[in-house]
Structure formats: structure tokens, C-alpha cells
Amino acid sequence: DIVLTQSPASLAVSLGQRATISCRASESVDSYGNSFMHWYQQKPGQPPKLLIYRASNLESGIPARFSGSGSRTDFTLTINPVEADDVATYYCQQSNEDPWTFGGGTKLEIK
Amino acid sequence: EVQLQQSGAELVKPGASVKLSCTASGFNIKDTYMHWVKQRPEQGLEWIGRIDPANGNTKYDPKFQGKATITADTSSNTAYLQLSSLTSEDTAVYYCARGWLGYFDVWGAGTTVTVSS
């Protein structure tokens, strides 16, 4: 199985500042010129919401404050600037290989 | 509007089975894959498996083989998750999600399953 390791497990960021979340895969999630890494936001009591698909593509309706980058085994989700509504847990997920797997999550709080 | 409507919360006894439903509206499940994801209290997300409703083909995370069975009824546009031989480890929220291109772009609200005597 491809193991996804997110860091940090939690972070506190001041409003208006940048938040950076890392996701490292135990093996490459790239195939056919695409990176099959995706990012979700989950608020308490709600299902996850897709933010970024295939590493860097912004899902429709998601603010441009969210961006994704990376390839092969190293990926980053950036939120800039952070707003109060961004308090949530963020997950990466790979679909390059079965079984699809998720990272352990990163909890974002406001400092 | 594209959405997934999941069945209500379940309280089940250890050793029993339960079948959860997920009814799609605004799209045809035959045109996509339907997935199930598990989330234990205060824990992360675990992919259980998927079904291609067009032909009934399924794929599971080996961890859930023998525990979970995913089916679909295209006539009612509904996907199902059956969980068997339930233990306290199965107490969780179970989400259904649409995912054709490798990511989950539509999620149900989740069904809470509590296993308790």
C-alpha cells in the first residue's frame, strides 16, 4: 500500500498569513503525466470537501487562496491568506494505486 | 442538484450485520464509480472500496475484505454497503462518495453506525 505521511499533524497560523501542509508518499503517485494526489478539507460534523485534484487543479467553487503543488512523492497544500473559515482538518489522498489511501490529516487552527 | 442521500443512523448489536444505502440524484451512478469511506470517532479517513455500477465490478482495500460488501442498484440509482460480523471496531461514520477520475468530488452526509449491546 502507498503510505501518505502528512506534516505537521497540527498547526496554528495567524489570520492573513500562509499555511503550508506537506504530504509525502511512500512511492511515486505519478502516472501518464499526472500526479494522482488530491486534497480535502473536513470541518467537524461534515463530510470532506474536495479542494485540489491531481496535485494542482482547483476544484470549482474553491477560493483561489487554496493551491496545490508537487509531484512524484512530495506534495504541498498552501492556504494564503488564511481566513477564520479555514479552521478544519486537511487530508491528502492518492489514487495512483489500489488501495486508495489517505494521509493522517493536518488540523489547522487560528493563532 | 448533484447529491448523495445516505440512510439514517444505525445502532446494532455485536455480531450482527447492517446494510447502508446511498441514493444519488442529479447524476446516474452508471456513469461513475461509487465509493465508501470509513471514519472512526476522532480518527482519519479509510477507503473501504468501490463499485462500478455499470457492471457490478468491485475493488476493496484488503483490510475490509470479508467485512464489507458493496453493491449497487442502477434502477434506483443507489449504492449499498453491507457490513458483517460487527464489532466495536466498526463503530464509525460511513460516507459514500462519487469518484470516477481518482478523486471524490461528491460526498454523502455520512451514516453513523454504533455497535453496542
PDB file of all heavy atoms in Angstrom, chain A residues 19-51:
ATOM      1  N   ALA A  19      -0.465  29.215   5.352  1.00  0.00           N
ATOM      2  CA  ALA A  19      -0.379  27.878   5.942  1.00  0.00           C
ATOM      3  C   ALA A  19       0.119  26.912   4.879  1.00  0.00           C
ATOM      4  O   ALA A  19      -0.363  26.927   3.737  1.00  0.00           O
ATOM      5  CB  ALA A  19      -1.745  27.429   6.443  1.00  0.00           C
ATOM      6  N   THR A  20       1.064  26.078   5.262  1.00  0.00           N
ATOM      7  CA  THR A  20       1.641  25.101   4.330  1.00  0.00           C
ATOM      8  C   THR A  20       1.568  23.719   4.955  1.00  0.00           C
ATOM      9  O   THR A  20       2.058  23.504   6.068  1.00  0.00           O
ATOM     10  CB  THR A  20       3.107  25.455   4.005  1.00  0.00           C
ATOM     11  OG1 THR A  20       3.169  26.765   3.445  1.00  0.00           O
ATOM     12  CG2 THR A  20       3.682  24.458   3.015  1.00  0.00           C
ATOM     13  N   ILE A  21       0.951  22.797   4.228  1.00  0.00           N
ATOM     14  CA  ILE A  21       0.785  21.418   4.685  1.00  0.00           C
ATOM     15  C   ILE A  21       1.474  20.501   3.702  1.00  0.00           C
ATOM     16  O   ILE A  21       1.283  20.627   2.483  1.00  0.00           O
ATOM     17  CB  ILE A  21      -0.704  21.064   4.808  1.00  0.00           C
ATOM     18  CG1 ILE A  21      -1.382  21.981   5.844  1.00  0.00           C
ATOM     19  CG2 ILE A  21      -0.893  19.602   5.191  1.00  0.00           C
ATOM     20  CD1 ILE A  21      -2.894  21.876   5.858  1.00  0.00           C
ATOM     21  N   SER A  22       2.241  19.571   4.237  1.00  0.00           N
ATOM     22  CA  SER A  22       3.012  18.661   3.398  1.00  0.00           C
ATOM     23  C   SER A  22       2.409  17.265   3.421  1.00  0.00           C
ATOM     24  O   SER A  22       1.857  16.822   4.434  1.00  0.00           O
ATOM     25  CB  SER A  22       4.450  18.610   3.899  1.00  0.00           C
ATOM     26  OG  SER A  22       5.170  17.581   3.270  1.00  0.00           O
ATOM     27  N   CYS A  23       2.539  16.569   2.310  1.00  0.00           N
ATOM     28  CA  CYS A  23       2.110  15.171   2.199  1.00  0.00           C
ATOM     29  C   CYS A  23       3.197  14.428   1.431  1.00  0.00           C
ATOM     30  O   CYS A  23       3.495  14.773   0.276  1.00  0.00           O
ATOM     31  CB  CYS A  23       0.785  15.091   1.469  1.00  0.00           C
ATOM     32  SG  CYS A  23       0.134  13.415   1.228  1.00  0.00           S
ATOM     33  N   ARG A  24       3.775  13.433   2.079  1.00  0.00           N
ATOM     34  CA  ARG A  24       4.833  12.650   1.449  1.00  0.00           C
ATOM     35  C   ARG A  24       4.333  11.225   1.231  1.00  0.00           C
ATOM     36  O   ARG A  24       3.821  10.585   2.158  1.00  0.00           O
ATOM     37  CB  ARG A  24       6.080  12.654   2.309  1.00  0.00           C
ATOM     38  CG  ARG A  24       7.221  11.799   1.776  1.00  0.00           C
ATOM     39  CD  ARG A  24       8.533  12.190   2.366  1.00  0.00           C
ATOM     40  NE  ARG A  24       8.983  13.488   1.863  1.00  0.00           N
ATOM     41  CZ  ARG A  24      10.087  14.104   2.255  1.00  0.00           C
ATOM     42  NH1 ARG A  24      10.855  13.559   3.181  1.00  0.00           N
ATOM     43  NH2 ARG A  24      10.424  15.273   1.760  1.00  0.00           N
ATOM     44  N   ALA A  25       4.496  10.726   0.024  1.00  0.00           N
ATOM     45  CA  ALA A  25       4.065   9.372  -0.327  1.00  0.00           C
ATOM     46  C   ALA A  25       5.235   8.404  -0.261  1.00  0.00           C
ATOM     47  O   ALA A  25       6.365   8.762  -0.582  1.00  0.00           O
ATOM     48  CB  ALA A  25       3.462   9.359  -1.726  1.00  0.00           C
ATOM     49  N   SER A  26       4.944   7.167   0.140  1.00  0.00           N
ATOM     50  CA  SER A  26       5.991   6.152   0.273  1.00  0.00           C
ATOM     51  C   SER A  26       6.526   5.692  -1.076  1.00  0.00           C
ATOM     52  O   SER A  26       7.601   5.078  -1.140  1.00  0.00           O
ATOM     53  CB  SER A  26       5.460   4.952   1.070  1.00  0.00           C
ATOM     54  OG  SER A  26       4.339   4.387   0.422  1.00  0.00           O
ATOM     55  N   GLU A  27       5.785   5.968  -2.150  1.00  0.00           N
ATOM     56  CA  GLU A  27       6.265   5.737  -3.510  1.00  0.00           C
ATOM     57  C   GLU A  27       5.558   6.715  -4.432  1.00  0.00           C
ATOM     58  O   GLU A  27       4.557   7.346  -4.039  1.00  0.00           O
ATOM     59  CB  GLU A  27       6.048   4.290  -3.947  1.00  0.00           C
ATOM     60  CG  GLU A  27       4.634   3.794  -3.846  1.00  0.00           C
ATOM     61  CD  GLU A  27       4.532   2.293  -4.063  1.00  0.00           C
ATOM     62  OE1 GLU A  27       4.413   1.875  -5.237  1.00  0.00           O
ATOM     63  OE2 GLU A  27       4.577   1.544  -3.081  1.00  0.00           O
ATOM     64  N   SER A  28       6.041   6.823  -5.645  1.00  0.00           N
ATOM     65  CA  SER A  28       5.505   7.814  -6.567  1.00  0.00           C
ATOM     66  C   SER A  28       4.021   7.584  -6.845  1.00  0.00           C
ATOM     67  O   SER A  28       3.568   6.437  -6.989  1.00  0.00           O
ATOM     68  CB  SER A  28       6.279   7.773  -7.882  1.00  0.00           C
ATOM     69  OG  SER A  28       5.678   8.639  -8.823  1.00  0.00           O
ATOM     70  N   VAL A  29       3.282   8.682  -6.919  1.00  0.00           N
ATOM     71  CA  VAL A  29       1.865   8.616  -7.291  1.00  0.00           C
ATOM     72  C   VAL A  29       1.654   9.223  -8.676  1.00  0.00           C
ATOM     73  O   VAL A  29       0.534   9.610  -9.032  1.00  0.00           O
ATOM     74  CB  VAL A  29       0.959   9.300  -6.233  1.00  0.00           C
ATOM     75  CG1 VAL A  29       1.097   8.592  -4.891  1.00  0.00           C
ATOM     76  CG2 VAL A  29       1.267  10.780  -6.114  1.00  0.00           C
ATOM     77  N   ASP A  30       2.692   9.311  -9.454  1.00  0.00           N
ATOM     78  CA  ASP A  30       2.621   9.839 -10.817  1.00  0.00           C
ATOM     79  C   ASP A  30       2.433   8.727 -11.835  1.00  0.00           C
ATOM     80  O   ASP A  30       3.089   7.678 -11.749  1.00  0.00           O
ATOM     81  CB  ASP A  30       3.899  10.604 -11.178  1.00  0.00           C
ATOM     82  CG  ASP A  30       4.001  11.933 -10.475  1.00  0.00           C
ATOM     83  OD1 ASP A  30       3.167  12.207  -9.594  1.00  0.00           O
ATOM     84  OD2 ASP A  30       4.918  12.705 -10.810  1.00  0.00           O
ATOM     85  N   SER A  31       1.536   8.959 -12.782  1.00  0.00           N
ATOM     86  CA  SER A  31       1.353   8.063 -13.912  1.00  0.00           C
ATOM     87  C   SER A  31       0.827   8.870 -15.090  1.00  0.00           C
ATOM     88  O   SER A  31       0.026   9.784 -14.897  1.00  0.00           O
ATOM     89  CB  SER A  31       0.354   6.947 -13.598  1.00  0.00           C
ATOM     90  OG  SER A  31       0.826   6.062 -12.626  1.00  0.00           O
ATOM     91  N   TYR A  32       1.253   8.469 -16.314  1.00  0.00           N
ATOM     92  CA  TYR A  32       0.699   9.064 -17.539  1.00  0.00           C
ATOM     93  C   TYR A  32       0.766  10.597 -17.522  1.00  0.00           C
ATOM     94  O   TYR A  32      -0.148  11.275 -17.998  1.00  0.00           O
ATOM     95  CB  TYR A  32      -0.751   8.621 -17.755  1.00  0.00           C
ATOM     96  CG  TYR A  32      -0.956   7.140 -17.605  1.00  0.00           C
ATOM     97  CD1 TYR A  32      -1.652   6.624 -16.514  1.00  0.00           C
ATOM     98  CD2 TYR A  32      -0.439   6.250 -18.537  1.00  0.00           C
ATOM     99  CE1 TYR A  32      -1.838   5.269 -16.354  1.00  0.00           C
ATOM    100  CE2 TYR A  32      -0.618   4.886 -18.388  1.00  0.00           C
ATOM    101  CZ  TYR A  32      -1.316   4.401 -17.303  1.00  0.00           C
ATOM    102  OH  TYR A  32      -1.489   3.058 -17.155  1.00  0.00           O
ATOM    103  N   GLY A  33       1.807  11.129 -16.932  1.00  0.00           N
ATOM    104  CA  GLY A  33       1.982  12.576 -16.898  1.00  0.00           C
ATOM    105  C   GLY A  33       1.142  13.302 -15.879  1.00  0.00           C
ATOM    106  O   GLY A  33       1.115  14.539 -15.869  1.00  0.00           O
ATOM    107  N   ASN A  34       0.439  12.565 -15.019  1.00  0.00           N
ATOM    108  CA  ASN A  34      -0.371  13.181 -13.978  1.00  0.00           C
ATOM    109  C   ASN A  34       0.073  12.707 -12.597  1.00  0.00           C
ATOM    110  O   ASN A  34       0.582  11.594 -12.445  1.00  0.00           O
ATOM    111  CB  ASN A  34      -1.850  12.812 -14.145  1.00  0.00           C
ATOM    112  CG  ASN A  34      -2.488  13.492 -15.330  1.00  0.00           C
ATOM    113  OD1 ASN A  34      -2.628  14.704 -15.358  1.00  0.00           O
ATOM    114  ND2 ASN A  34      -2.865  12.713 -16.318  1.00  0.00           N
ATOM    115  N   SER A  35      -0.136  13.563 -11.602  1.00  0.00           N
ATOM    116  CA  SER A  35       0.078  13.192 -10.210  1.00  0.00           C
ATOM    117  C   SER A  35      -1.278  12.932  -9.583  1.00  0.00           C
ATOM    118  O   SER A  35      -2.122  13.837  -9.493  1.00  0.00           O
ATOM    119  CB  SER A  35       0.776  14.327  -9.454  1.00  0.00           C
ATOM    120  OG  SER A  35       2.072  14.547  -9.948  1.00  0.00           O
ATOM    121  N   PHE A  36      -1.492  11.682  -9.160  1.00  0.00           N
ATOM    122  CA  PHE A  36      -2.796  11.307  -8.623  1.00  0.00           C
ATOM    123  C   PHE A  36      -2.844  11.523  -7.113  1.00  0.00           C
ATOM    124  O   PHE A  36      -3.029  10.592  -6.332  1.00  0.00           O
ATOM    125  CB  PHE A  36      -3.127   9.866  -9.027  1.00  0.00           C
ATOM    126  CG  PHE A  36      -3.424   9.754 -10.490  1.00  0.00           C
ATOM    127  CD1 PHE A  36      -2.410   9.453 -11.400  1.00  0.00           C
ATOM    128  CD2 PHE A  36      -4.701   9.999 -10.973  1.00  0.00           C
ATOM    129  CE1 PHE A  36      -2.675   9.381 -12.762  1.00  0.00           C
ATOM    130  CE2 PHE A  36      -4.973   9.918 -12.327  1.00  0.00           C
ATOM    131  CZ  PHE A  36      -3.954   9.607 -13.226  1.00  0.00           C
ATOM    132  N   MET A  37      -2.664  12.806  -6.761  1.00  0.00           N
ATOM    133  CA  MET A  37      -2.727  13.244  -5.380  1.00  0.00           C
ATOM    134  C   MET A  37      -3.799  14.328  -5.275  1.00  0.00           C
ATOM    135  O   MET A  37      -3.837  15.251  -6.102  1.00  0.00           O
ATOM    136  CB  MET A  37      -1.384  13.817  -4.925  1.00  0.00           C
ATOM    137  CG  MET A  37      -1.372  14.265  -3.473  1.00  0.00           C
ATOM    138  SD  MET A  37      -1.597  12.909  -2.317  1.00  0.00           S
ATOM    139  CE  MET A  37       0.048  12.180  -2.378  1.00  0.00           C
ATOM    140  N   HIS A  38      -4.637  14.229  -4.244  1.00  0.00           N
ATOM    141  CA  HIS A  38      -5.782  15.120  -4.111  1.00  0.00           C
ATOM    142  C   HIS A  38      -5.873  15.587  -2.658  1.00  0.00           C
ATOM    143  O   HIS A  38      -5.389  14.905  -1.750  1.00  0.00           O
ATOM    144  CB  HIS A  38      -7.062  14.395  -4.523  1.00  0.00           C
ATOM    145  CG  HIS A  38      -6.854  13.464  -5.680  1.00  0.00           C
ATOM    146  ND1 HIS A  38      -6.600  13.903  -6.962  1.00  0.00           N
ATOM    147  CD2 HIS A  38      -6.802  12.101  -5.730  1.00  0.00           C
ATOM    148  CE1 HIS A  38      -6.423  12.852  -7.757  1.00  0.00           C
ATOM    149  NE2 HIS A  38      -6.540  11.757  -7.030  1.00  0.00           N
ATOM    150  N   TRP A  39      -6.531  16.735  -2.459  1.00  0.00           N
ATOM    151  CA  TRP A  39      -6.622  17.334  -1.125  1.00  0.00           C
ATOM    152  C   TRP A  39      -8.076  17.638  -0.767  1.00  0.00           C
ATOM    153  O   TRP A  39      -8.858  18.095  -1.606  1.00  0.00           O
ATOM    154  CB  TRP A  39      -5.830  18.646  -1.083  1.00  0.00           C
ATOM    155  CG  TRP A  39      -4.358  18.489  -1.171  1.00  0.00           C
ATOM    156  CD1 TRP A  39      -3.583  18.534  -2.300  1.00  0.00           C
ATOM    157  CD2 TRP A  39      -3.453  18.276  -0.077  1.00  0.00           C
ATOM    158  NE1 TRP A  39      -2.263  18.366  -1.964  1.00  0.00           N
ATOM    159  CE2 TRP A  39      -2.155  18.211  -0.607  1.00  0.00           C
ATOM    160  CE3 TRP A  39      -3.604  18.152   1.309  1.00  0.00           C
ATOM    161  CZ2 TRP A  39      -1.013  18.021   0.192  1.00  0.00           C
ATOM    162  CZ3 TRP A  39      -2.497  17.964   2.089  1.00  0.00           C
ATOM    163  CH2 TRP A  39      -1.219  17.908   1.539  1.00  0.00           C
ATOM    164  N   TYR A  40      -8.383  17.416   0.538  1.00  0.00           N
ATOM    165  CA  TYR A  40      -9.726  17.632   1.049  1.00  0.00           C
ATOM    166  C   TYR A  40      -9.668  18.462   2.328  1.00  0.00           C
ATOM    167  O   TYR A  40      -8.689  18.412   3.076  1.00  0.00           O
ATOM    168  CB  TYR A  40     -10.411  16.297   1.367  1.00  0.00           C
ATOM    169  CG  TYR A  40     -10.500  15.383   0.173  1.00  0.00           C
ATOM    170  CD1 TYR A  40      -9.441  14.552  -0.169  1.00  0.00           C
ATOM    171  CD2 TYR A  40     -11.631  15.368  -0.636  1.00  0.00           C
ATOM    172  CE1 TYR A  40      -9.504  13.734  -1.277  1.00  0.00           C
ATOM    173  CE2 TYR A  40     -11.708  14.544  -1.745  1.00  0.00           C
ATOM    174  CZ  TYR A  40     -10.638  13.733  -2.058  1.00  0.00           C
ATOM    175  OH  TYR A  40     -10.703  12.925  -3.162  1.00  0.00           O
ATOM    176  N   GLN A  41     -10.767  19.158   2.584  1.00  0.00           N
ATOM    177  CA  GLN A  41     -10.970  19.892   3.823  1.00  0.00           C
ATOM    178  C   GLN A  41     -12.161  19.259   4.540  1.00  0.00           C
ATOM    179  O   GLN A  41     -13.180  19.001   3.913  1.00  0.00           O
ATOM    180  CB  GLN A  41     -11.300  21.354   3.512  1.00  0.00           C
ATOM    181  CG  GLN A  41     -11.660  22.205   4.711  1.00  0.00           C
ATOM    182  CD  GLN A  41     -12.293  23.528   4.271  1.00  0.00           C
ATOM    183  OE1 GLN A  41     -13.378  23.565   3.722  1.00  0.00           O
ATOM    184  NE2 GLN A  41     -11.583  24.632   4.516  1.00  0.00           N
ATOM    185  N   GLN A  42     -12.020  19.016   5.834  1.00  0.00           N
ATOM    186  CA  GLN A  42     -13.136  18.491   6.604  1.00  0.00           C
ATOM    187  C   GLN A  42     -13.335  19.323   7.867  1.00  0.00           C
ATOM    188  O   GLN A  42     -12.414  19.435   8.682  1.00  0.00           O
ATOM    189  CB  GLN A  42     -12.939  17.020   6.980  1.00  0.00           C
ATOM    190  CG  GLN A  42     -14.173  16.421   7.644  1.00  0.00           C
ATOM    191  CD  GLN A  42     -14.026  14.967   8.014  1.00  0.00           C
ATOM    192  OE1 GLN A  42     -12.944  14.505   8.351  1.00  0.00           O
ATOM    193  NE2 GLN A  42     -15.130  14.232   7.957  1.00  0.00           N
ATOM    194  N   LYS A  43     -14.528  19.854   8.004  1.00  0.00           N
ATOM    195  CA  LYS A  43     -14.907  20.567   9.219  1.00  0.00           C
ATOM    196  C   LYS A  43     -15.696  19.626  10.124  1.00  0.00           C
ATOM    197  O   LYS A  43     -16.309  18.665   9.645  1.00  0.00           O
ATOM    198  CB  LYS A  43     -15.731  21.806   8.858  1.00  0.00           C
ATOM    199  CG  LYS A  43     -14.944  22.810   8.023  1.00  0.00           C
ATOM    200  CD  LYS A  43     -15.762  24.024   7.670  1.00  0.00           C
ATOM    201  CE  LYS A  43     -14.919  25.001   6.847  1.00  0.00           C
ATOM    202  NZ  LYS A  43     -15.682  26.203   6.449  1.00  0.00           N
ATOM    203  N   PRO A  44     -15.678  19.870  11.441  1.00  0.00           N
ATOM    204  CA  PRO A  44     -16.361  18.958  12.373  1.00  0.00           C
ATOM    205  C   PRO A  44     -17.820  18.737  12.001  1.00  0.00           C
ATOM    206  O   PRO A  44     -18.554  19.681  11.704  1.00  0.00           O
ATOM    207  CB  PRO A  44     -16.222  19.685  13.713  1.00  0.00           C
ATOM    208  CG  PRO A  44     -14.980  20.508  13.573  1.00  0.00           C
ATOM    209  CD  PRO A  44     -14.974  20.954  12.135  1.00  0.00           C
ATOM    210  N   GLY A  45     -18.227  17.466  12.031  1.00  0.00           N
ATOM    211  CA  GLY A  45     -19.611  17.122  11.750  1.00  0.00           C
ATOM    212  C   GLY A  45     -19.997  17.167  10.288  1.00  0.00           C
ATOM    213  O   GLY A  45     -21.175  16.996   9.958  1.00  0.00           O
ATOM    214  N   GLN A  46     -19.029  17.401   9.401  1.00  0.00           N
ATOM    215  CA  GLN A  46     -19.311  17.480   7.959  1.00  0.00           C
ATOM    216  C   GLN A  46     -18.489  16.447   7.202  1.00  0.00           C
ATOM    217  O   GLN A  46     -17.436  16.012   7.684  1.00  0.00           O
ATOM    218  CB  GLN A  46     -18.974  18.871   7.430  1.00  0.00           C
ATOM    219  CG  GLN A  46     -19.810  19.994   8.020  1.00  0.00           C
ATOM    220  CD  GLN A  46     -19.481  21.327   7.387  1.00  0.00           C
ATOM    221  OE1 GLN A  46     -18.914  21.415   6.296  1.00  0.00           O
ATOM    222  NE2 GLN A  46     -19.866  22.402   8.057  1.00  0.00           N
ATOM    223  N   PRO A  47     -18.953  16.082   6.000  1.00  0.00           N
ATOM    224  CA  PRO A  47     -18.109  15.214   5.165  1.00  0.00           C
ATOM    225  C   PRO A  47     -16.937  16.014   4.615  1.00  0.00           C
ATOM    226  O   PRO A  47     -16.955  17.257   4.615  1.00  0.00           O
ATOM    227  CB  PRO A  47     -19.059  14.797   4.032  1.00  0.00           C
ATOM    228  CG  PRO A  47     -20.052  15.906   3.956  1.00  0.00           C
ATOM    229  CD  PRO A  47     -20.224  16.412   5.358  1.00  0.00           C
ATOM    230  N   PRO A  48     -15.922  15.333   4.141  1.00  0.00           N
ATOM    231  CA  PRO A  48     -14.821  16.045   3.483  1.00  0.00           C
ATOM    232  C   PRO A  48     -15.299  16.770   2.236  1.00  0.00           C
ATOM    233  O   PRO A  48     -16.308  16.397   1.630  1.00  0.00           O
ATOM    234  CB  PRO A  48     -13.841  14.916   3.128  1.00  0.00           C
ATOM    235  CG  PRO A  48     -14.184  13.803   4.064  1.00  0.00           C
ATOM    236  CD  PRO A  48     -15.658  13.904   4.268  1.00  0.00           C
ATOM    237  N   LYS A  49     -14.555  17.805   1.877  1.00  0.00           N
ATOM    238  CA  LYS A  49     -14.845  18.574   0.659  1.00  0.00           C
ATOM    239  C   LYS A  49     -13.598  18.590  -0.202  1.00  0.00           C
ATOM    240  O   LYS A  49     -12.492  18.877   0.298  1.00  0.00           O
ATOM    241  CB  LYS A  49     -15.232  20.006   1.019  1.00  0.00           C
ATOM    242  CG  LYS A  49     -15.489  20.899  -0.191  1.00  0.00           C
ATOM    243  CD  LYS A  49     -15.532  22.368   0.182  1.00  0.00           C
ATOM    244  CE  LYS A  49     -16.678  22.766   1.024  1.00  0.00           C
ATOM    245  NZ  LYS A  49     -16.747  24.224   1.225  1.00  0.00           N
ATOM    246  N   LEU A  50     -13.753  18.299  -1.480  1.00  0.00           N
ATOM    247  CA  LEU A  50     -12.607  18.313  -2.394  1.00  0.00           C
ATOM    248  C   LEU A  50     -12.129  19.739  -2.618  1.00  0.00           C
ATOM    249  O   LEU A  50     -12.925  20.624  -2.955  1.00  0.00           O
ATOM    250  CB  LEU A  50     -13.018  17.686  -3.728  1.00  0.00           C
ATOM    251  CG  LEU A  50     -11.970  17.675  -4.836  1.00  0.00           C
ATOM    252  CD1 LEU A  50     -10.798  16.749  -4.485  1.00  0.00           C
ATOM    253  CD2 LEU A  50     -12.599  17.237  -6.165  1.00  0.00           C
ATOM    254  N   LEU A  51     -10.826  19.955  -2.451  1.00  0.00           N
ATOM    255  CA  LEU A  51     -10.217  21.261  -2.693  1.00  0.00           C
ATOM    256  C   LEU A  51      -9.389  21.265  -3.976  1.00  0.00           C
ATOM    257  O   LEU A  51      -9.536  22.151  -4.823  1.00  0.00           O
ATOM    258  CB  LEU A  51      -9.277  21.633  -1.537  1.00  0.00           C
ATOM    259  CG  LEU A  51      -9.842  21.762  -0.134  1.00  0.00           C
ATOM    260  CD1 LEU A  51      -8.703  22.001   0.852  1.00  0.00           C
ATOM    261  CD2 LEU A  51     -10.864  22.888  -0.082  1.00  0.00           C
TER     262      LEU A  51
END
